[in-house]
């Protein structure tokens, strides 16, 4: 079984005060139950939109999914230029999580707040870039 475990969006808008960094909105409810989202979307224009509805595994005998805003996609660390959302899962993530984090730059790992494989993959990807805060 799967459960809807939140959603998130990132929008970039030309002509705004912070057009180089997206407006981020995340919530633990599915978007169709989020009363604030409709109002925000009616009053927001964007040039680029990245959104993600999170689904996580659910097993009533072995519940492991953590539903919180830190685990909602998309991921973008402060000042970074690339955002990421990911569907699917990394097989054996619990066993390789620390190995993956150890391959990341310490100045990037400090931004990891959630417990998802996607955020760790994002940190690993950003660690491959010489300057993740530059174009």
């Amino acid at each position: 079984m799967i459960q809807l475990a939140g959603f998130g969006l990132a929008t970039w808008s030309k002509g705004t005060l912070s057009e180089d960094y997206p407006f981020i909105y995340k919530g633990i409810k599915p978007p169709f139950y989020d009363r604030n989202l409709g109002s925000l979307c009616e009053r927001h224009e964007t040039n680029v939109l990245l959104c993600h509805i999170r689904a996580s595994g659910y097993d009533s005998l072995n519940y492991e999914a953590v539903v919180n805003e830190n685990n909602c996609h998309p991921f973008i660390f402060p000042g970074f230029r690339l955002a990421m959302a990911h569907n699917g899962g990394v097989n054996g993530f619990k066993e390789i999580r620390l190995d993956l984090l150890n391959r990341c730059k310490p100045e990037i790992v400090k931004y990891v707040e959630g417990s998802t494989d996607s955020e760790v993959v994002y940190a690993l990807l950003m660690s491959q870039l010489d300057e993740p805060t530059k174009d």
Side-chain angles (χ1 to χ4, degrees):
M1 289 178 41
I2 63 168
Q3 65 175 345
L4 296 180
F7 80 102
L9 58 86
T11 69
W12 291 259
S13 300
K14 294 247 184 245
T16 62
L17 292 175
S18 58
E19 67 180 34
D20 291 336
Y21 191 76
F23 167 75
I24 304 288
Y25 185 83
K26 296 181 180 185
I28 59 172
K29 296 178 185 176
F32 40 85
Y33 291 128
D34 188 317
R35 294 175 54 161
N36 295 316
L37 180 62
S39 178
L40 284 172
C41 291
E42 288 173 356
R43 291 162 180 81
H44 184 79
E45 293 182 18
T46 186
N47 301 95
V48 177
L49 170 68
L50 174 63
C51 59
H52 183 270
I53 298 176
R54 182 170 181 245
S56 60
Y58 179 81
D59 177 340
S60 60
L61 299 177
N62 187 19
Y63 179 69
E64 295 180 358
V66 177
V67 179
N68 64 35
E69 288 179 7
N70 291 337
N71 286 337
C72 292
H73 309 211
F75 297 104
I76 184 167
F77 294 149
F80 284 36
R81 301 291 295 159
L82 183 65
M84 186 189 96
H86 168 253
N87 285 329
V90 175
N91 287 332
F93 175 68
K94 286 172 65 174
E95 290 77 27
I96 64 171
R97 181 179 191 275
L98 288 178
D99 290 335
L100 294 175
L101 287 170
N102 285 331
R103 293 176 186 260
C104 298
K105 294 176 182 175
E107 64 269 21
I108 292 177
V109 169
K110 71 180 182 182
Y111 293 118
V112 175
E113 296 180 333
S115 59
T116 67
D117 56 351
S118 298
E119 187 177 25
V120 172
V121 168
Y122 176 70
L124 184 62
L125 175 64
M126 295 297 96
S127 293
Q128 306 310 303
L129 301 176
D130 291 332
E131 294 284 339
T133 61
K134 305 282 185 208
D135 280 342

